Amino acid sequence: METNDEAIIKQLLDELVDAWNRGDTKAYGARFLADATFTNVNGMFHESREEFDRRHEEIFRGPLKGTTITLTPRKVRFIRPDIAIVDIDCGVFGSSVQPPGVQVGADGALRTCLLLVLVKESGSWWIAAYHNVWRATVRYDSTGKT
């Protein structure tokens, strides 16, 4: 059964999807804390909502212009009542670029693994950390073999 906090977190994800799909930088960063951190799919580390907005403006006007996304939570884990870690499967549709080592899925999507650290302040959930990586097409077993 979904808790009220899980429902609010799902709403936050829906807001992110809507903002991305419209290419709306300000709306996409609206729930990003002013001092939050952001690691993009290429491993570049950034700090602050201003930088988060700047980087997404570049994405929305450049390589991922016109793309749409899906965000499907795999697991929501509450570390404390006011801190949640959310593991998310992200699908990026309509991309004209294909990053090295990333394969387009049967559904036409590029995939990323997005990890959000959320904090609850004044009854709302906010993004404190956003860590996104391309999903590798090569799978390794516990011995390191493909």
Side-chain angles (χ1 to χ4, degrees):
M1 174 176 243
E2 185 175 75
T3 67
N4 187 51
D5 280 319
E6 288 171 326
I8 294 169
I9 289 169
K10 178 157 182 357
Q11 180 181 343
L12 180 148
L13 297 180
D14 290 344
E15 290 170 10
L16 289 173
V17 167
D18 178 63
W20 180 289
N21 293 349
R22 291 183 292 111
D24 186 336
T25 303
K26 290 297 181 192
Y28 197 72
R31 300 291 285 280
F32 198 81
L33 288 172
D35 63 347
T37 61
F38 162 51
T39 304
N40 72 12
V41 291
N42 298 314
M44 296 170 62
F45 178 78
H46 306 282
E47 295 181 70
S48 82
R49 180 186 308 131
E50 181 180 313
E51 190 66 13
F52 184 81
D53 288 350
R54 182 179 304 116
R55 297 299 167 209
H56 282 87
E57 183 68 22
E58 292 171 1
I59 290 168
F60 293 155
R61 303 297 164 250
L64 297 179
K65 181 178 182 176
T67 59
T68 59
I69 63 168
T70 57
L71 297 177
T72 306
R74 289 186 197 163
K75 182 171 177 85
V76 177
R77 186 165 50 117
F78 293 93
I79 304 303
R80 296 189 330 216
D82 62 340
I83 299 175
I85 296 176
V86 186
D87 283 288
I88 301 164
D89 175 56
C90 177
V92 180
F93 295 84
S95 177
S96 61
V97 297
Q98 185 175 348
V102 178
Q103 197 167 29
V104 176
D107 60 359
L110 299 172
R111 296 268 176 221
T112 74
C113 298
L114 174 61
L115 180 73
L116 297 180
V117 177
L118 305 177
V119 295
K120 189 174 185 180
E121 294 181 358
S122 303
S124 295
W125 287 94
W126 296 87
I127 301 168
Y130 181 112
H131 188 91
N132 203 12
V133 296
W134 290 116
R135 185 182 299 164
T137 55
V138 177
R139 304 274 190 239
Y140 295 94
D141 66 18
S142 61
T143 67
K145 295 182 181 179
T146 58

